[in-house]
Amino acid sequence: MPQTLDAVAVRTWCSLALEALGRAREEIDAINVYPVADGDTGTNLYLTVESAVQAVEAVFTAHETVTGAAASAPALADAVRAMAHGALIGARGNSGTILAQLLRGMAQVFSDRAADAEGLRRALRRASESAYQAVAHPVEGTVLTVATAAADAAESAGGDDTTGVARAAYEGARVALDETPRQLAVLGRAGVVDAGGRGLVAVLGALVEAVSGEAVAVRKREAPAAPLSMADDCPADAVQEGGPAFEVIYLLEADDAAVSRLRTRLDGLGDSLVVVGGDGLWNVHVHVDDAGAAVEAGVEAGRPYRIRITHFAADRVAPPRERAQRAVVAVVPGEGLAGLCAEAGATTVLARPGEPPASGELAEAIRRAHAREVVLLPNDADLRHTAAAAAEQVRADGVRVALIPTRAAVQGIAALAVHEPDRRFDEDVVAMTSAAGATRYGELTVAERQSWTMAGICQAGDVLGLIDGDVVVIGSDLTAAARTVLDRMLAAGGEMVTLVLGEDAPAGLAEYLEAHVRESHLAVDTITYDGGRQSSPLLIGVE
């Protein structure tokens, strides 16, 4: 096993950290009482690391594609930068945002020097310092304290043994974690340790295993001497009463000066402010009463996107609702289809261009549907394994999940159209699967670079027409290419054409194609939907 961190060890570390957080997720969620007792710290940490894992895997895949050698590995600098970037863009919640900054701090050191024992010591120190700088008002007894203790212990370890330094950091973090209830009153009242710190200990334990090949022993932690029970003194009330109503998170493209002004403005709007990142890309997290003002501040600073707003008060005020018998969860490529599917009763997950949802995000959507039986529609061939992993996660919670392997949004629309919640579950799944399978799917898109396709060589800017995932038309005019694709799809027969137009579709395209179908293909109906912002100007379905 490696005694220094190279790219393969970083990949192993990320994978092991994800597994460790997956095992500890429910435990960490349960002890989440600070800064807001919303019970999602474990889930947020898991989703953050899952995004890091995906970014690292993408670097390995790209390296293998370029070199043609599956056995070779990318440079350490490329792997750690991908890890940090993936965590940054996927960071969730206060804890996930801080973890992303910790990983970024480590990556900054490993990008400039070898990841040996001394490098690891410096990386852990940089991580701790950068995390403190990212938090507007640092509080002791949190993950920040645990990160500092890990760095202190690593420096005390001395020597050239990377494994010894990693193990010392883990032990230092574990001891510091046990002290957090005595440092932060709300933790002491609840009789729990800091949830974010608990997650960091899991991540450092995975680091030890990555460099040594030996898993750390999981110790049972004793509660503080005299914790108050949740019934006697509910920490959720202690933390949340009078606190901000909303959590606002977004990615932001802005320069350093604009971000400095943004920090000052957001600090005046709310609390729990954490801004992490650099080099023009930032992840902003804040708790506020005026969510709109927090987003407007981001607009003034630069370009905010992937905006997430969570209403804390909704969980406190709304009574527990009865679990529904059946629900549908669908991944959709644009806001327009999200609204359409929501109107049909589905819980939706938005897949933004270039940002496919992770398995944790799909699993959370299934849980949010709050049903005993769930039909999952991934609507993308590349999401098959991700959706299967999400289904397995939720099945462990006792939810019956059926995954219909829809490969395009139009297949999902067809499946949703025949969904009948009053039918037996198996019969409903069969009917939806049959409708999806009877729907061929086409897509019009624009080539980003020169490439080989089944229809020949395309150049950047060419219009590509795809049927069932394969390029069949290369052209210069989107309307003409769309007509050709539609004719080829209908040549094999069809009764219903579904058109989903993106915001970049040419004006009049839908009317032109509808008229063409009426004139050239008898007894074929056409229905058109507005897809809003999506990766393709046009999606086509033929049933």
Side-chain angles (χ1 to χ4, degrees):
M1 297 300 296
Q3 292 300 308
T4 59
L5 276 170
D6 56 10
V8 174
V10 169
R11 183 189 202 183
T12 303
W13 175 28
C14 290
S15 178
L16 291 172
L18 186 64
E19 292 176 10
L21 289 170
R23 291 191 297 269
R25 182 184 63 81
E26 291 184 358
E27 172 201 336
I28 297 173
D29 282 346
I31 63 174
N32 171 202
V33 299
Y34 183 84
V36 176
D38 49 355
D40 63 358
T41 291
T43 299
N44 287 337
L45 290 169
Y46 181 90
L47 293 174
T48 301
V49 174
E50 184 177 47
S51 182
V53 168
Q54 291 176 339
V56 172
E57 290 300 321
V59 166
F60 271 79
T61 299
H63 178 78
E64 292 171 4
T65 301
V66 172
T67 63
S72 66
L76 170 65
D78 293 336
V80 295
R81 278 196 292 265
M83 173 187 69
H85 181 74
L88 175 67
I89 65 174
R92 301 295 187 89
N94 186 281
S95 55
T97 308
I98 293 174
L99 178 61
Q101 188 69 355
L102 289 167
L103 294 178
R104 177 180 170 82
M106 296 185 72
Q108 287 173 335
V109 172
F110 290 150
S111 294
D112 297 332
R113 60 159 296 139
D116 53 11
E118 181 59 25
L120 182 55
R121 279 190 284 266
R122 294 188 184 184
L124 290 167
R125 178 59 65 194
R126 175 76 64 84
S128 171
E129 292 173 348
S130 61
Y132 266 94
Q133 293 167 2
V135 178
H137 301 285
V139 174
E140 296 305 324
T142 65
V143 62
L144 298 175
T145 307
V146 175
T148 298
D152 291 343
E155 289 178 349
S156 299
D160 298 326
D161 181 11
T162 305
T163 299
V165 173
R167 197 177 299 278
Y170 167 75
E171 291 296 338
R174 188 185 61 77
V175 171
L177 178 65
D178 287 339
E179 291 298 314
T180 56
R182 284 172 274 278
Q183 296 172 301
L184 195 55
V186 67
L187 301 179
R189 287 196 296 270
V192 298
V193 296
D194 179 66
R198 170 67 180 88
L200 179 58
V201 168
V203 172
L204 291 174
L207 175 61
V208 173
E209 184 174 356
V211 297
S212 70
E214 299 176 358
V216 296
V218 179
R219 296 178 173 86
K220 281 205 140 202
R221 186 175 297 103
E222 294 184 3
L228 297 179
S229 69
M230 294 287 282
D232 294 334
D233 184 10
C234 176
D237 292 340
V239 177
Q240 293 180 342
E241 179 142 4
F246 296 96
E247 177 186 59
V248 179
I249 305 174
Y250 49 80
L251 291 178
L252 177 70
E253 293 179 356
D255 59 33
D256 292 2
V259 170
S260 179
R261 294 190 296 270
L262 175 66
R263 288 178 191 268
T264 301
R265 181 166 178 191
L266 291 180
D267 195 26
L269 289 175
D271 58 30
S272 297
L273 174 61
V274 185
V275 181
V276 304
D279 302 320
L281 180 62
W282 309 82
N283 191 306
V284 179
H285 170 281
V286 67
H287 294 173
V288 293
D289 281 320
D290 189 345
V295 175
E296 288 172 7
V299 173
E300 292 180 8
R303 187 178 79 87
Y305 60 103
R306 290 187 69 172
I307 300 168
R308 297 186 182 92
I309 300 175
T310 303
H311 187 198
F312 293 132
D315 294 333
R316 301 198 299 268
V317 175
R321 59 189 175 101
E322 182 66 24
R323 188 180 289 273
Q325 180 60 34
R326 189 174 310 159
V328 177
V329 174
V331 179
V332 290
E335 293 87 348
L337 287 186
L340 173 70
C341 293
E343 288 177 9
T347 297
T348 61
V349 178
L350 189 61
R352 298 172 179 82
E355 300 174 7
S359 65
E361 191 171 354
L362 295 183
E364 285 308 300
I366 297 172
R367 295 187 180 100
R368 192 170 69 248
H370 203 61
R372 299 181 182 88
E373 302 168 338
V374 175
V375 180
L376 178 57
L377 305 173
N379 296 337
D380 186 337
D382 292 335
L383 286 179
R384 182 182 58 180
H385 297 300
T386 301
E392 283 303 314
Q393 289 180 46
V394 183
R395 286 180 186 128
D397 298 338
V399 180
R400 189 178 183 190
V401 183
L403 170 60
I404 298 179
T406 47
R407 294 171 291 172
V410 288
Q411 290 187 323
I413 293 173
L416 193 56
V418 300
H419 166 57
E420 291 186 15
D422 294 332
R423 239 182 337 215
R424 288 180 55 247
F425 185 62
D426 291 338
E427 292 177 354
D428 197 28
V429 171
V430 168
M432 294 176 73
T433 303
S434 178
T439 303
R440 301 186 70 196
Y441 60 95
E443 176 182 0
L444 274 295
T445 188
V446 178
E448 296 181 354
R449 64 184 69 86
Q450 183 186 63
S451 180
W452 289 89
T453 76
M454 293 187 66
I457 301 176
C458 70
Q459 305 296 328
D462 283 347
V463 175
L464 305 180
L466 296 85
I467 297 178
D468 294 340
D470 294 325
V471 176
V472 297
V473 174
I474 300 175
S476 57
D477 180 72
L478 193 142
T479 300
R483 182 187 63 212
T484 302
V485 169
L486 191 52
D487 286 341
R488 291 195 184 187
M489 294 178 73
L490 287 170
E495 299 175 356
M496 170 70 76
V497 170
T498 300
L499 304 175
V500 181
L501 276 77
E503 63 179 6
D504 297 329
L509 176 62
E511 293 79 2
Y512 173 81
L513 294 178
E514 289 172 358
H516 177 70
V517 171
R518 282 195 304 270
E519 296 169 2
S520 305
H521 304 278
L522 300 178
V524 177
D525 295 324
T526 304
I527 186 168
T528 301
Y529 298 113
D530 178 11
R533 185 187 177 199
Q534 58 186 37
S535 57
S536 301
L538 177 65
L539 304 176
I540 303 174
V542 173
E543 299 177 51

